[in-house]
Amino acid sequence: MSINILPFRVYQVLSEYTDADHALPMGELLRLLRTEYGLRCDRRAVYAALDKLRAVGCHIPEYQDDGEGYRLLSRPLEPSEVRLLSDAASAFPGISRRQCERLLKKLGQGLSRWQREQCRPLSVGIPWRGINQETFLSVEVLEEAVSSRCQVEFQYMEYGMDKRLHPRREQPYRVSPYGLFFINGNYYLLCRYQGKENISHYRVDRIQSPVLLEDQPIAPLPPGLDLERYVRERVYPFPGEAVRAVLRCEADLVSDVLDRFGMETQLQDNGDGTFDAMVFTGAAGLKFWALQYVAVCQVLEPEWLRREIGEILRNGWERYQKISSPLKKEKEKS
């Protein structure tokens, strides 16, 4: 037995079988080292291994201080942190079920077997789960392209009527990547085409076969463009300029407005059960958001955006009036 491997194996046993509520006496620790790893050693070797673990920051109380045995009280991630990350991974639709299960297993490896049971996430009823098995590979390649400041080429996929992914076009996309960001339940690549001023966004779970173009440096960002601010000002990942807008909302919409636009949003109580919110965000995303809340919110400014939303609503109502419900027609025939 190599004396150098013993501290690592002791750590593994303590990590798996101990926590704040469970301890191992020395005899049981020796038995687990022997049965699980084939290590036959005496108490003095284990004492030395425990001292080495304590020297590198592992919180393992002395037996005389604990009174029950030896237990590991420090972990890379606390159970509450693992639970939060596990729930987030389970709710993220951009990875396949197999990828999700593997990720959950990795997150739980640093916990004891009892802590893993407590941190098991509930089944989340997400409407769909991605079928792209290359998501994690895409993240690795795209991150490398961003850090290496080189262009990247990839196929961008879309679902067809057969519910399978197909290339959006035959020619691969070639872009200058600037970063990855997570918004509204999806992971996006922030990038730009050569010679284009506008920023583009592509969902990472729809990207396949990314290739680094190491001999093609990225195009510099337009002067004055702050990426963090750009992402922060987008309600949804739509391209286009940000605008300063005024929204008139019903009083019970305060939480939704702050959740979406942030605590920097200026609010003015109108004293009549409504309030005005001053926001600075992308016009396309704001239009999409305002249409979802049209019953309790309207855009006051800018006027051109207000007119566009009104036109969308008017055209939508005209289409509803022109087309009768097929179900209604079937009922009338019967």
Side-chain angles (χ1 to χ4, degrees):
M1 178 193 71
S2 171
I3 194 65
N4 294 324
I5 201 174
L6 182 58
F8 177 67
R9 294 305 190 195
V10 170
Y11 179 87
Q12 285 183 302
V13 170
L14 293 179
S15 178
E16 176 68 16
Y17 291 97
T18 75
D19 52 39
D21 299 317
H22 303 86
L24 285 178
M26 177 57 72
E28 185 65 10
L29 180 53
L30 290 169
R31 186 189 70 80
L32 289 169
L33 287 169
R34 183 177 67 256
T35 58
E36 298 209 355
Y37 301 109
L39 296 178
R40 297 180 179 274
C41 49
D42 57 28
R43 293 170 178 257
R44 289 175 298 177
V46 175
Y47 292 145
L50 290 169
D51 287 338
K52 289 180 179 179
L53 291 174
R54 295 186 186 105
V56 296
C58 296
H59 186 190
I60 305 172
E62 298 281 357
Y63 183 86
Q64 61 269 25
D65 297 328
D66 187 281
E68 296 182 9
Y70 300 93
R71 69 183 87 213
L72 180 65
L73 298 180
S74 57
R75 309 214 174 235
L77 291 173
E78 294 299 323
S80 58
E81 296 169 328
V82 172
R83 178 57 187 267
L84 179 64
L85 293 173
S86 297
D87 286 339
S90 297
F92 177 45
I95 54 178
S96 68
R97 186 172 300 280
R98 179 184 298 178
Q99 290 171 323
C100 181
E101 290 173 353
R102 288 171 55 190
L103 181 55
L104 294 178
K105 184 176 180 180
K106 289 180 179 179
L107 286 170
Q109 284 178 347
L111 302 179
S112 73
R113 52 179 51 192
W114 298 280
Q115 290 172 329
R116 281 199 296 274
E117 285 297 318
Q118 296 172 354
C119 289
R120 182 175 298 175
L122 295 174
S123 177
V124 180
I126 57 177
W128 64 276
R129 171 97 34 206
I131 61 175
N132 183 0
Q133 301 295 331
E134 299 182 12
T135 300
F136 288 120
L137 174 62
S138 295
V139 171
E140 291 179 8
V141 175
L142 295 174
E143 284 285 11
E144 184 177 353
V146 172
S147 61
S148 301
R149 300 181 63 80
C150 66
Q151 295 183 39
V152 66
E153 193 174 78
F154 55 82
Q155 282 286 358
Y156 195 66
M157 316 296 287
E158 289 185 327
Y159 282 99
M161 291 299 294
D162 57 0
K163 299 181 181 179
R164 296 182 180 276
L165 289 172
H166 303 276
R168 175 184 282 182
R169 68 185 195 191
E170 184 176 346
Q171 182 183 2
Y173 288 74
R174 178 179 293 189
V175 299
S176 292
Y178 301 115
L180 302 172
F181 70 102
F182 190 88
I183 187 171
N184 296 316
N186 288 301
Y187 208 25
Y188 291 88
L189 170 68
L190 197 67
C191 59
R192 191 159 65 100
Y193 289 101
Q194 193 76 16
K196 300 290 185 180
E197 289 294 320
N198 292 337
I199 298 294
S200 298
H201 319 88
Y202 291 96
R203 275 179 45 176
V204 174
D205 60 296
R206 302 282 175 85
I207 290 175
Q208 283 192 357
S209 306
V211 178
L212 287 176
L213 304 177
E214 299 183 39
D215 59 339
Q216 299 290 326
I218 64 171
L221 285 169
L225 178 61
D226 184 319
L227 284 182
E228 290 189 5
R229 180 179 177 182
Y230 176 90
V231 172
R232 188 171 61 249
E233 290 173 350
R234 263 63 190 171
V235 183
Y236 296 96
F238 296 145
E241 294 296 322
V243 298
R244 189 174 299 279
V246 179
L247 314 178
R248 177 152 296 173
C249 312
E250 293 189 5
D252 57 2
L253 206 62
V254 172
S255 295
D256 296 73
V257 168
L258 293 179
D259 282 346
R260 179 55 61 192
F261 300 102
M263 290 298 172
E264 297 178 356
T265 302
Q266 298 180 39
L267 303 178
Q268 176 180 303
D269 189 346
N270 296 323
D272 59 357
T274 69
F275 68 92
D276 289 350
M278 281 65 75
V279 302
F280 189 74
T281 187
L286 176 58
K287 185 192 304 182
F288 186 73
W289 185 88
L291 287 169
Q292 296 178 78
Y293 287 86
V294 67
V296 290
C297 172
Q298 60 175 297
V299 175
L300 300 183
E301 299 176 10
E303 180 62 29
W304 63 266
L305 183 58
R306 177 181 173 86
R307 287 197 303 269
E308 283 190 11
I309 294 173
E311 191 67 23
I312 291 172
L313 293 172
R314 185 161 41 252
N315 292 338
W317 174 237
E318 289 176 357
R319 285 194 295 271
Y320 265 82
Q321 289 180 308
K322 289 178 181 178
I323 303 176
S324 299
S325 169
L327 293 177
K328 183 179 178 181
K329 289 182 178 180
E330 291 178 4
K331 290 181 179 179
E332 291 175 351
K333 288 180 181 180
S334 61

